[in-house]
Every structure is written in structure tokens, then in C-alpha cells.
């Protein structure tokens, strides 16, 4: 199944429960938007495009739940549900992007009957989810052209099917190169604290038969300095207008060491992840998560930190554009100057969506 999908018969949202992988692949079901908000906050579902799609389906549930009998009441209900969903995680802009897109349907004056608005909201969520898969495939083809036979690729976090509706961003590029028959090997950063690399990316590499080795985050620099890495691919939670990118904590260190060693570093970024309203990455809000994520790991059955240890736990960091070789989008690979070329890619994509709407 897809990472997030709508069950038409039972009118609810189903998600692969990513907290339980790789031990068990369990499906979680949500029939109200509060549950979807919890799922995003607690990372049942995670990854920028996947949480955007989950929020869109969450709003479709809110539309079903609303007991409003007038349009203004209905819009008020949906507006507060959208705000509630939006507050769950601050960094990935896909969440706000998806909800804004959904709210345009909620307030569309051309659809008048409430039953029709409810149906249109669900249709829009389905369309958004389907488009995500199609966009990922387009990025995968553009990105795979950058990979040569024999390459060893460094990858951070999880950016595969599980981080999207299906297929993936950076890991989707790698999967495409593998399916094209290129002989590749992937070094997967385990990605502390929540180990998305070890738990999720390694699991996906097993599913898709992608040759990989799991490495601790601290080994990435070693392999880059010793010449064992040819190219790096990462995902992105929000890109600013100048090409700065926010991604999973540790990405910045990967990018700096890559540049120092002359290794190309490519974020794979759907245009829905680009926030042209922010001039630089300094304005991107960085989520800080619970200290338990850092301290509650055990080693040999024992706690890894003393009781009461003080913790800082930023979930993301910003990589300045000067470390970014190129940005893989569904429109193609965008190169500097990003201030001009990234905007052009986003606007071209938006114009295309308007033409096909
Ligand atoms: O905290 P997470 O697991 O949601 O973080 C995910 C990432 O940082 C991904 O790299 C990012 O969402 C882009 S991949 C689709």
C-alpha cells in the first residue's frame, strides 16, 4: 500500500505506522482529524511530502466531521481544523502548502452545496496524493541521470516511499538508478536521534533490493575523505528562495564535508517544498523535539545518558546554498544562481498545474 491513503469504503485514512518499522509493518487507521494531527506530531507518518498528504486527508476527515449547516460555519470549522493540523510540525513547508491548497477548495465560491464541497475536498486530497507520486517519478528520472555506473552514494535520513505518498525523493532517485541497472552502492547514515536511516531507509533498501551499507552518522566524513563516496543525495523539508535548504539534523555537516572533498551534493526537492516567501534559510523555523528522543536510547540494555541529562534536540538544520551543487526538482535539475533559477522552476511548475487544473 501507499504510505498514506484514503479508504473509500470505510471513509478513513490509513497510514503505515513508521514508529514500528522495521520490526513490524502495521497499518494505523484514523477517522478524525485530531487523530491525524497526533499521527503527524508523533511521527506515525513523517517526511515532508507524506505529512502534507496526511494533512490533506485530515482536512477531508474534518469536512466529514463538521456538523455545520451553513457555509460560513463550515468554513470556520475547517479553518480551525487546518490551523490545528498545521501546528503539528513547523519545519516542513509541505504541511502548510497542502493545507493552503485544500482551503482554496473549502472557500471556492463556485461550489455551493455543502455535500459538493465535502466531495471536492476529498477529491483534492486524492489529487494531491496522486500528484506526489507522479512528481517523485519525474524527480527520480532527472536525478538518476546524475548517477554513474559504479557510484557509491551517501544518503541521509529517510527520503523514500515512506517519506512521501510513494516512491520517494532522494531515495527515489537512488531506486530509479538501481532499477535502470546501474551498479550502485548506498551508504546510509543511520540518522540519530530517531534513526530514520537505520530503521526506515535500510528497510526500504531491503524491499527494493538496493545494495547498501548502514553507517553511523560520524562515519560519513571518513568515507568522504577516503574517496569512497562519489555523490550525495538528501531530501529537504523547506528550501528558501536563495537555495538554502533545511533538512534532517546532520545534513549541514554532510554538505560541508562533501564540498571540502569535491563531492557533488544534491538535495531532491519537489517545488511544493520551496518557500519563495523566505529570502534565506535563516528564516526557516527549526523544530526542537523532546529530550526523550536523545536520552531514551539504550545500549546493552542500559540508558545512554545519566538521569536528568540536559539535552538540545533540533530536528533539522540549514545548509547554505554555497554547499549545494544543484537541486533536483520535478522540473529538472536547477543550478545556481538559485535566486533566479529556483524561482523560475517553481513558477513554471505552478503555471503547468494551473493549465491542467
Ligand atoms: O523528521 P522527519 O523524519 O519527518 O524528517 C524527514 C526529513 O528530513 C526528510 O529528509 C525530508 O522530509 C525530505 S524527504 C521526502
Amino acid at each position: 500500500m501507499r504510505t498514506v491513503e484514503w479508504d473509500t469504503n470505510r471513509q478513513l485514512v490509513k497510514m503505515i505506522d513508521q514508529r514500528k518499522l522495521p520490526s513490524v509493518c502495521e497499518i494505523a487507521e484514523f477517522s478524525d482529524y485530531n487523530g491525524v494531527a497526533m499521527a503527524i506530531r508523533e511521527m506515525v507518518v513523517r517526511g515532508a511530502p507524506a505529512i502534507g498528504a496526511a494533512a490533506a486527508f485530515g482536512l477531508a476527515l474534518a469536512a466529514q466531521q463538521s456538523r455545520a449547516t451553513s457555509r460560513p460555519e463550515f468554513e470556520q470549522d475547517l479553518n480551525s481544523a487546518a490551523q490545528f493540523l498545521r501546528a503539528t510540525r513547523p519545519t516542513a513547508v509541505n504541511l502548510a502548502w497542502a493545507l493552503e491548497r485544500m482551503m482554496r477548495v473549502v472557500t471556492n465560491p463556485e461550489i455551493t452545496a455543502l455535500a459538493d464541497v465535502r466531495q471536492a475536498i476529498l477529491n483534492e486530497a486524492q489529487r494531491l496524493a496522486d500528484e506526489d507520486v507522479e512528481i517523485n517519478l519525474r524527480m527520480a528520472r532527472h536525478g538518476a541521470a546524475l548517477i554513474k555506473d559504479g557510484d557509491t552514494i551517501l544518503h541521509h535520513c529517510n527520503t523514500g516511499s515512506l517519506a512521501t505518498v510513494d516512491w520517494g525523493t532522494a531515495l527515489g532517485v537512488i531506486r530509479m538508478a538501481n532499477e535502470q541497472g546501474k551498479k550502485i552502492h548506498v551508504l546510509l547514515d543511520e540518522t540519530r536521534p530517531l534513526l530514520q536511516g537505520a530503521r526506515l531507509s535500510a528497510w526500504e533498501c531491503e524491499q527494493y533490493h538496493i545494495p547498501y551499507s548502514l553507517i553511523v552518522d560520524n562515519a560519513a566524513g571518513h568515507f568522504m575523505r577516503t574517496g569512497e563516496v562519489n555523490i550525495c543525495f538528501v531530501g529537504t523539508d523547506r528550501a528558501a528562495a536563495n537555495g538554502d535548504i533545511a533538512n534532517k539534523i546532520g545534513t549541514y555537516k554532510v554538505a560541508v564535508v562533501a564540498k571540502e572533498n569535491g563531492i557533488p551534493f544534491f538535495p531532491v526537492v519537489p517545488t511544493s517544498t520551496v518557500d519563495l516567501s523566505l529570502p534565506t534559510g535563516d528564516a526557516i523555523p527549526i523544530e526542537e523535539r523532546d529530550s526523550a528522543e536523545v536520552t531514551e536510547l539504550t545500549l546493552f540494555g542500559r540508558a545512554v545518558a545519566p538521569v536528568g541529562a540536559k539535552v538540545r534536540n533540533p530536528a533539522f538544520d540549514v545548509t547554505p546554498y554555497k554547499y549545494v551543487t544543484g537541486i533536483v526538482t520535478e522540473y529538472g535539475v536547477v543550478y545556481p544562481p538559485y535566486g533566479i533559477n529556483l524561482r523560475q522552476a517553481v513558477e513554471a511548475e505552478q503555471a503547468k498545474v494551473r493549465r491542467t487544473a
Side-chain angles (χ1 to χ4, degrees):
M1 76 167 255
R2 287 179 169 185
T3 299
V4 188
E5 66 181 32
W6 182 258
D7 185 324
T8 310
N9 293 332
R10 297 166 61 219
Q11 298 285 294
L12 49 78
V13 187
K14 296 203 290 197
M15 300 176 196
I16 296 176
D17 190 339
Q18 301 191 33
R19 297 169 303 182
K20 299 188 177 158
L21 284 170
S23 318
V24 278
C25 186
E26 238 173 61
I27 310 303
E29 297 181 343
F30 301 95
S31 53
D32 66 73
Y33 78 86
N34 291 285
V36 172
M38 180 286 291
I40 297 173
R41 204 178 307 112
E42 314 260 308
M43 296 172 72
V44 172
V45 63
R46 31 68 51 202
I51 62 179
F57 285 125
L59 210 69
L61 286 174
Q64 287 182 349
Q65 284 170 259
S66 168
R67 295 282 153 260
T69 48
S70 72
R71 185 66 174 267
E73 271 179 300
F74 180 75
E75 287 187 14
Q76 210 175 4
D77 282 355
L78 278 263
N79 198 32
S80 56
Q83 279 180 31
F84 190 69
L85 286 159
R86 191 182 175 149
T88 49
R89 295 196 72 190
T91 303
V93 75
N94 302 61
L95 187 56
W97 168 85
L99 289 166
E100 272 159 30
R101 177 167 160 176
M102 298 299 295
M103 285 307 291
R104 284 199 287 278
V105 178
V106 174
T107 56
N108 183 351
E110 284 166 26
I111 316 169
T112 46
L114 276 185
D116 294 343
V117 188
R118 284 192 171 91
Q119 188 58 49
I121 292 168
L122 179 56
N123 293 348
E124 187 70 356
Q126 293 276 29
R127 198 173 307 125
L128 187 147
D130 291 344
E131 279 172 19
D132 181 59
V133 185
E134 183 241 328
I135 284 167
N136 291 337
L137 283 164
R138 283 165 63 196
M139 292 195 298
R141 290 189 197 100
H142 294 305
L146 300 165
I147 297 175
K148 295 187 296 301
D149 206 35
D151 272 355
T152 294
I153 302 158
L154 188 89
H155 175 269
H156 193 69
C157 194
N158 170 266
T159 65
S161 303
L162 292 167
T164 60
V165 175
D166 205 351
W167 195 270
T169 60
L171 203 56
V173 164
I174 293 167
R175 179 175 165 190
M176 180 63 78
N178 189 54
E179 292 194 4
Q180 288 170 346
K182 290 181 185 166
K183 299 229 170 338
I184 57 167
H185 193 84
V186 192
L187 295 178
L188 295 175
D189 278 355
E190 62 175 355
T191 319
R192 274 285 282 149
L194 289 182
L195 298 160
Q196 287 93 332
R199 294 188 303 108
L200 308 175
S201 295
W203 184 78
E204 286 199 42
C205 285
E206 295 283 347
Q207 306 290 310
Y208 306 127
H209 310 290
I210 301 170
Y212 73 95
S213 305
L214 187 59
I215 61 171
V216 297
D217 299 335
N218 290 339
H222 164 75
F223 287 118
M224 287 198 263
R225 197 192 65 78
T226 53
E228 290 187 61
V229 177
N230 303 99
I231 190 164
C232 306
F233 284 100
V234 299
T236 291
D237 285 80
R238 193 185 300 222
N242 69 341
D244 291 352
I245 60 129
N247 190 47
K248 179 52 56 198
I249 193 76
T251 303
Y252 171 53
K253 272 202 331 196
V254 170
V256 172
V257 180
K259 190 170 173 81
E260 173 68 20
N261 289 281
I263 300 165
F265 174 88
F266 286 97
V268 182
V269 186
T271 55
S272 56
T273 303
V274 182
D275 185 349
L276 291 175
S277 76
L278 302 184
T280 74
D282 292 340
I284 299 175
I286 299 294
E287 177 181 13
E288 285 220 24
R289 291 185 63 87
D290 202 295
S291 59
E293 290 181 354
V294 178
T295 54
E296 285 191 5
L297 188 79
T298 55
L299 188 66
F300 310 126
R302 292 177 196 283
V304 293
V307 175
K310 303 279 178 299
V311 169
R312 291 295 305 274
N313 184 22
F316 301 94
D317 59 26
V318 171
T319 298
Y321 70 87
K322 68 175 179 181
Y323 298 107
V324 175
T325 310
I327 299 179
V328 180
T329 72
E330 68 271 34
Y331 177 77
V333 185
V334 175
Y335 291 97
Y338 296 118
I340 297 167
N341 295 344
L342 196 53
R343 178 173 294 275
Q344 216 169 52
V346 173
E347 288 173 353
E349 237 353 89
Q350 285 169 348
K352 188 173 158 216
V353 171
R354 274 196 300 275
R355 277 197 306 277
T356 52

